[in-house]
Amino acid sequence: MKEPDDQDTDGEKSGRSKSDGRHSLRSSKSESRSPVKEDNKLLEEATDETLTEGKEPYLDEDSDEEHLEGSLSSFQYEDLQSTTVSQQPPAPAAEEAEEEVKKKISESFFYDYMELASMPFVTSDSNIPLDLLTLVHSFGYDCRKRANLQLLDDSIAMYIAGNQVIFLHLKTKEQIYLRSSSGEGIGVIGVHPHKTYFTVAEKGSFPNIIIYEFPSLRPYRILRDGTEKGYAYVDFNYSGTLLASVGSNPDYTLTIWNWKEEQPILRTKAFSQEVFKVTFNPDNEEQLTTSGSGHIKFWEMAFTFTGLKLQGSLGRFGKTTSTDIEGYMELPDGKVLSGSEWGNMLLWESGLIKVELCRGTSKSCHNGPINQIMLYEGEVITVGSDGCVRIWDFETIDTADTIDETGLLEIEPINELQVDKNVKLFSMIKMNETGNNFWLAQDANGAIWKLDLSFSNITQDPECLFSFHSGAIEAVAVSPLTYLMATTALDCSVRIYDFASKIPLAQMKFKQGGTALVWVPRMVSYTGAHIIVGFEDGVVRLLELYDPKGLTVFAGRKKIFDADIQLKRVFKPHTACVTALAYERDGEILATGSKDQTVFFFEVENEYEPIGYINTPGPVCQLMWSPLSHPESTLLIFCENGYILEAPLPTIKQEVDDRDVVSYEIKDMCIKCFHFSSVKSKILRLIEIEKREKQKKLKEKIREERRNKLAAEMGEDGEKEFQEEKEEEEDEEEEEEPLPEIFIPLTPSRILCGFYSEPGKFWVSLGDYDSGFLYHCEFPPCDKSNNFEEQKDEPFDVHYLENTDDNPIQTITFNINKIMMFCGMKNGAIRVYVLDENDPSLTSLVNYWHFNMHDNNYGCIKSIASSFDDRFLVTTGGDGNIFVFNIFSEFMLRKDIKAKVPSPRFGIETEPIPEDIEDPKAYSIENARRKREHDKLMKEVEEIKARKREQIKALRNEFCKLLKMNEELPKHMQFKRTDFDVDSRIRDEINRKTAFKIQQVEKELAWEKEKHELGLMKLKNRFRDPLESDTIVVHAIQSDHKITSYRLVQPSKYSKFKRASQSERRPSKLDRFEKEGAGRKDSQRDAGESVIEQEDSIIEKGKKFRPKTLSEIMVKNQIEKTRKLILKAERAQLKIQQRKKEWEELYKSKPDDDFEDPKDLQAIKEAQVYMGDFNLKTASDYKIPEHMRINAAKKEEELGHLDSLVHGKKRHMNKCILSLRDLKVAVVEEIQCLVQELKNIQSTLHVSKHIPIPKIPQIHPEEVPEKRFQYDEETLLNFEQQRMKSIDAKSPQVEQTGSGGPGGGFLKLSSGKNGDLTTRDSISRSSRASTFSLDIPKFMEFEKAEPTDVEVEIMKRDEIKHVYMQQYLVNRIKELIVTFDAELRLLRHQKLKLDTQMKLSDLHHVTLFQEMLLLKNFEKQENILQERVNSLEKEEQYMQWKINETLKEMEEKKNEITKLQEQEKALYAGFQTAIGENNKFANFLMKVLKKKIKRVKKKEVEGDADEDEESEESSEESSLESDEDESGSEDEVFDDSICPSNCDVTLFELALQLREKRLDIEEALVEEKKIVDNLKKEYETLSKKVKIVATNLNAAEEALEAYQREKQQRLNELLVVIPLKLHQIEYVVFGEIPSDLSGTLVFSNHALKRLQERIHELQEENAKQQKLNKEWRERRKQLIREKKEMTKAIQQMEETVRQLMISKFGRVVNLEALQTLSVNTTLEELKIRKLRKELANAKEMKMWEQKIAQMRWELMMKTKEHTRKLYQMNDLCIEKKKLDSRLNTLQNQQGNAFQGPREADIVAREEVTELIQLQAERISALKEEIALLRRKGGLILPPIQSPQENEMPMDL
């Protein structure tokens, strides 16, 4: 990779983050900028006119950038000017003078590229090198980016690739890279007309436009603050002096730059929608054109009375359909020729379309949009998306005009060139080759073409120079053997690259786009020649790569390339796009995943024979097989919707005939599932809880310290004050914000990528809400009965990733040894984490390397891969770029490295190529098998149907015979036809078919129905929907009174309209003063808070965790004690500093003698405004107060407020009328019920006793206007009949019937059907009641009999009751009617009053509307004057700030001069002391010290000074001589180079040294005095400027005030209608109202009363102020006396303190130093170390004591064991004794039988004797051992064994 000014920056920038200096270019760039020095002479000559290092070309960065009309920016009023700019439009002479005095940037000034270029971010304190990844080559091209191909010279092209600008040598194909400065992408590039400069307009937050010099590639100029987010287009004017730029979303700002001075000239908003392009008119540089989405706009730079303006005129399409305009061209006479989306050309003149140009037979000029139009050598060239370049005659187009109403004019091209198929030309650039007419063309389908437009006999064919992917690149794979990579994209191509040699090798096109790609591993293809690719139609293709040079060469063979691709196998496992491919770790199985929610398995060895598939709960996005380190081979499946599955290795079936198998689905596989549930909100909640706990602990600690302090200072009062403060703090704590709620998104976050960590565990990265973390998850046990959708699982570990909340990780890969994790980010950045070895839990995921490479907006990294040897890294992005990086390594790569293409297999050229699947609708493997089974089943069904048809035919014949036989029988014996019906369901089937046919008819008429419904909907939208309420007329029942509601429409636009008024836009001076005062108070408050924060930080340093042991508690206490002592000293020091600061601020805040309190000024101003008099607006001296100034915005608000009030009142009245109508409906329903009940009662009474039944009131049609829109089927049928009758006009009666019109019949039918607006429930209730009452007598009829006496009595009682109820019901009906009529009359009276008010409001509305129109006419000029006042106020404030800064700097310089003078005095005094009093060489040495000498002045700039400057320096040095020097040097001349004899050499050398110091001090004094003089001059200049600006400001304010008066006078001329009653007119003459009322004044009673009351208020205020004045005078005298007393008391206290110091310390000491005395830190640390050592020794002693106790316990156990053995021995001895006695007894008894001893007895006796002796020895040995063990520290000896012990006979 090559970059301009490429340097080794490892040592300088290894710790720099990507954001250092990138996102704050406006501030930090100015500090880091260093101009390139051409030579010292040029730099010295340009000292007075160029910018020095570290200074901006302009200062005011917050200048007004919102002049939407393109007025001159406020940069003209900055401190780079040395003269005052006139406020009127400058004359040419004034402009020249201004340009001469304005400081300019030197022509030789350059910026440092290494300071501008964005660098990678590396975490601090990490050993990651800055050049971890180095860009080697770029294989991609963002071909769909507008104007992304520029030509710098004949052989170097330039285009944007992500965050780089690539310079491509067209012949050598070498690339040079230029990094962006922001690191957030590049918007557009442009080239200077002279090809000596080019621009890089970037993206980001307030991005820059950097202008580079070519061919040096050095940054020449930087243009700042031209847009908010990014640039869409840039263009130089024809001469190259100006630059036009237009921003992208959201501001679309158009800026004209004087780019060499880095100054904006004009600025405005281009349009409210996307702007594609901006260009200068090459023949008139004052004209510009912009085009974009649905518009074209024509601009002109013109001088107006307010300055230079950029005036825009929007093109009006008129009858032509609006279109997006990509290409256009300015004609010499000012007309503009543009393209259109449908391919025709539009000729614009004066902002209107003059004519639309097309080809013959109304054929469009291009088949698609025209992207570029150019004028070259008198011919018009158009470039279209159809891949054609057409040449048109300029004269024909220039003189074109309309000939008919269509506005079309047919012309034919002179020449045309069809580049190629599937070519979409975007732009063209002319190549400057002499004698040739070659052009470079940008193809949006991924190519760069070289076109010959000479159109001669030797014209060359279009040549494709470079071919790329078009659009996003979906996948990349790297060869496991060599430096080859394969890529695929949705452009239907697969490409092979040699990224080591930086060359593309081969490509192959398909019908569908590729979506997944994997290089087949070596265990499957040993030569590494196979690539498997998945496509968007679900097809998977196996491709074979080979070197065609190894094939047999045949005669006539085409050109042999370095590599070729051949299709080896193709199959379709899926019905949707393939998203993932993965080979099993042993290479036996291939798994494919798709968006159709399936994963298919194939047996690789058996020619990719399908094994089966499994269904997944969501679309598959990634597949990964477990690595070799896992015990089992499992497949990890990631689904987009939050599911992660783990499938075991599928069972490979042996060769079995599976023809009977219906489906490939694997149903018995045990699949583990993890359904991710969001935990991000829980994590954030825990973080917030921990944060608040820390804050609470800190507050408690501070509160306790505060309590102790108050208790120590104030005692019980301090405790009370502390309690009050505590209660206030608790109240504040109660208002603490609630914790963040647990939030789980309704739509699961999308899974992006993941990988295995351990068996059954994995890491996963998610997008959307859950981004920002890596989640470590574990699969639950496999449960086939579990439902995946109901399952909710959470990760057991998370790892936070910095700056990834909105920028998640899209893809992850590792290097071979797993120590580097490469991450591709959403914003196109590459992030590399350095890990520890064998770290599956990612505990070392901390340090990382981050660098933005791809486009930040749409360059999401789709895939990332490393080479087989970890030397290279390849990334592909959504912006179509492919970047190859060299991974940092200790070994350097060979320059001649090249990838090896696999050799072809034997016989590959003769192998038949398998038939490809080109049809996207082809069956997949599973669908094909199901289709086969379905066809087989359908064949069987057809056979069954045929057999059934034969059977039915036989039965039909038999049935016909039966019918014939039945007809032959006698009639009385014949069966009916229905008797032959076997099943009634047959008829049902017929009915069903009939219904089906009806449904078919409805479908046929659906379009017609929809058409009429749309027509009805349009009518409703036009006439009915704007109505909020229609007119309703409610009639009284007994009278003719009626009330009508208002016909109310939706609120007007004024009631919804609101914009910033003039008063809101411009605050008054008083308001600004108050804000400044508040700002000072806030700054003081912040200063106090900073001290508290310092104390908090000190307290925080001492915090530790709670100790657990006593020793730690002791050590902690000692540390805490020491810390508190140190803290106390620090606090005392802080308190002293704070006290000093408060004293300084107090003295600074001391007002001057002529200081006036702002509150008093405000009170005076308010008194002047609200003095109490009433100034008439018609007065000539009337001054409009600021709060009463009116403008169009306020008037529109007032008009809207009036409309809303009127609308609200009308709506309220309509609601009342509507409720009255509802009341009438309810009354009518109730009367209907009462009448029905009355009829039932009268049916039981005699006719003579009947009372006339009242009539039921009717609901008039105008009372229910909504009924007109209600209809049903019967109403529609009747309406249709009436319409047909009216059309036919068969009879006059029919005409009379239809004369009522459709509306009347419609209403009559609807009202007649629904009755008198009764609900269905009421009708049903009344009908049921009447039916019940009428049916009862029928069911109760019996035989007639004479009634008994009791029955007669009951009948009389019932009759009396019915008569009463009859009268009651009639009265009730009358009462309802009377009540309703009364309500109506009352409401009618209210409406009459409201009608009067509405008429008055209408009159007021007219007045307000007239005022608003008048104010709008004044608004433009008023805004201009107001902006002028605002700009002058800003300039005045800036000048005042500059004066204050100058005064401050002067004060500092004076202090420095005083210090230097003191140093000079101290030098002389010190030398006098060193000489002594009686030194005879004192005069000589003093003369040596004071002698004036000439020496060379020190220079900061390298090189020798000129002779003129040396003379100036000598004159300056001569001025350094003091008066003493002059008096001594004029009389005597002495030699100071030799020390006199007997003179002390040390003193002589000291004099020489001090003389040098004296000269340095004097030079410094002269320099400081010069600076002070310059500052004084600057102060005087600024003071004059301030006076001029103040004068101009006063003039501008007066002009604004005069304009306000003029506006008020015009408002006064408007006629206002005010209705008055006679009692309101108080102007009478001789008791009568005069005929002429022109001299009257309309005044409100309230205002008049207020003026009268104000007289008394002013009198009271006057008396009150006099009283206060007297009191304050007395108070002043008292304060003066108190001040004298306090001064005396202070002196006494100071004397007392001094005496106390002397008595206590013996001298006056510094109390502050005494208070801040701290502890001996070293001593305290030694004490702590001693304490820790003692605690460690005590711990060790305790350990040894435990060991001793353990050994004692072991000794006790051994003693017990030996005691047990002694008891056993004692038992054995007793048993032995018994045996001896028995033996003796037996011997005595047997001895009598034998005389004399036998030999056997003797031997036995000897053996027994030996045994007894041996036992006696063992007993004694055991006794000794026991005795030894009883003693402390005894040793255990082994028991004594005799040599004969083993030889003893066992029988003894």
Side-chain angles (χ1 to χ4, degrees), residues 1534-1557:
F1534 63 94
D1535 187 5
D1536 60 345
S1537 61
I1538 301 173
C1539 180
S1541 57
N1542 299 327
C1543 181
D1544 192 354
V1545 179
T1546 306
L1547 290 176
F1548 182 75
E1549 292 177 354
L1550 179 62
L1552 295 178
Q1553 293 176 1
L1554 292 179
R1555 183 173 66 184
E1556 291 294 326
K1557 288 184 180 180

Side-chain angles (χ1 to χ4, degrees), residues 1681-1698:
R1681 289 195 300 270
E1682 291 178 357
K1683 179 184 176 182
K1684 292 180 181 179
E1685 293 175 359
M1686 290 177 70
T1687 305
K1688 189 182 295 184
I1690 289 170
Q1691 293 176 355
Q1692 293 177 359
M1693 292 172 70
E1694 288 177 350
E1695 182 64 24
T1696 304
V1697 169
R1698 190 181 66 80

